[in-house]
């Protein structure tokens, strides 16, 4: 399963690699990372059919995760990747906007990696 993680915090990559070391080693999960919504769209342009899940932060400089989600939902119809939105803020407005724009799920920071792994089992 290929997952694209979109977050403007560079340390997110090492955190995911550390937390999913076994799954990566076994070949169950492959991660790619984008530091912005713009970079994510560029990546998707080159790897459209490979990405099964996008984990995107909501609050990023430039294009927000909500804007990215909206662009993904209007540009990628077959097959559309699943999108889980991630934010440090558990406020209802972000949650409402994410769901309204087609988010499949909503997670809050700090990420509960065991919960995320359980959710991933239901996708693969």
């Amino acid at each position: 399963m290929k997952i694209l993680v979109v977050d403007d915090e560079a340390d997110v990559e090492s955190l995911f690699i550390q937390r999913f070391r076994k799954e990566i080693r076994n070949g169950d999960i492959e991660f790619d990372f984008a530091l912005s919504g713009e970079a994510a769209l560029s990546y998707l342009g080159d790897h459209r059919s490979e990405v099964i899940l996008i984990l995107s932060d909501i609050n990023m400089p430039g294009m927000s995760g909500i804007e990215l989600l909206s662009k993904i939902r209007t540009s990628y119809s077959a097959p559309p990747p699943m999108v889980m939105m991630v934010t440090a803020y558990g406020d209802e407005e972000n949650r409402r906007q994410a769901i309204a724009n087609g988010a499949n799920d909503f997670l809050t920071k700090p990420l509960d990696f065991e919960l995320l792994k359980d959710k991933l089992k239901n996708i693969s």
Side-chain angles (χ1 to χ4, degrees):
M1 172 189 326
K2 183 173 270 194
I3 299 172
L4 176 62
V5 179
V6 186
D7 197 309
D8 59 310
E9 295 178 33
D11 61 341
V12 165
E13 182 172 347
S14 58
L15 183 61
F16 270 84
I17 289 170
Q18 176 188 25
R19 294 298 185 109
F20 285 92
R21 184 176 289 124
K22 184 177 123 194
E23 293 84 353
I24 293 168
R25 188 176 57 241
N26 292 342
D28 298 331
I29 295 177
E30 181 182 341
F31 286 100
D32 279 312
F33 299 87
L35 292 171
S36 69
E38 294 86 353
L41 289 176
S42 176
Y43 177 90
L44 288 170
D46 295 336
H47 303 89
R48 174 184 294 227
S49 62
E50 299 172 28
V51 176
I52 293 175
L53 172 67
I54 298 168
L55 281 170
S56 177
D57 190 19
I58 287 181
N59 297 296
M60 297 183 287
M63 182 186 301
S64 74
I66 300 289
E67 291 171 294
L68 172 62
L69 173 62
S70 178
K71 289 183 185 300
I72 290 168
R73 288 298 179 236
T74 57
S75 300
Y76 299 92
S77 56
M82 288 193 63
V83 180
M84 289 185 188
M85 303 306 295
V86 183
T87 184
Y89 309 101
D91 67 292
E92 272 311 304
E93 181 57 24
N94 274 333
R95 182 181 301 268
R96 188 189 62 70
Q97 284 188 329
I99 300 299
N101 280 281
N104 297 97
D105 209 339
F106 194 88
L107 304 169
T108 55
K109 289 182 180 179
L111 275 180
D112 178 338
F113 281 93
E114 293 308 312
L115 174 64
L116 177 55
K117 287 180 183 186
D118 284 344
K119 288 176 182 282
L120 295 179
K121 286 176 191 167
N122 295 326
I123 295 171
S124 56

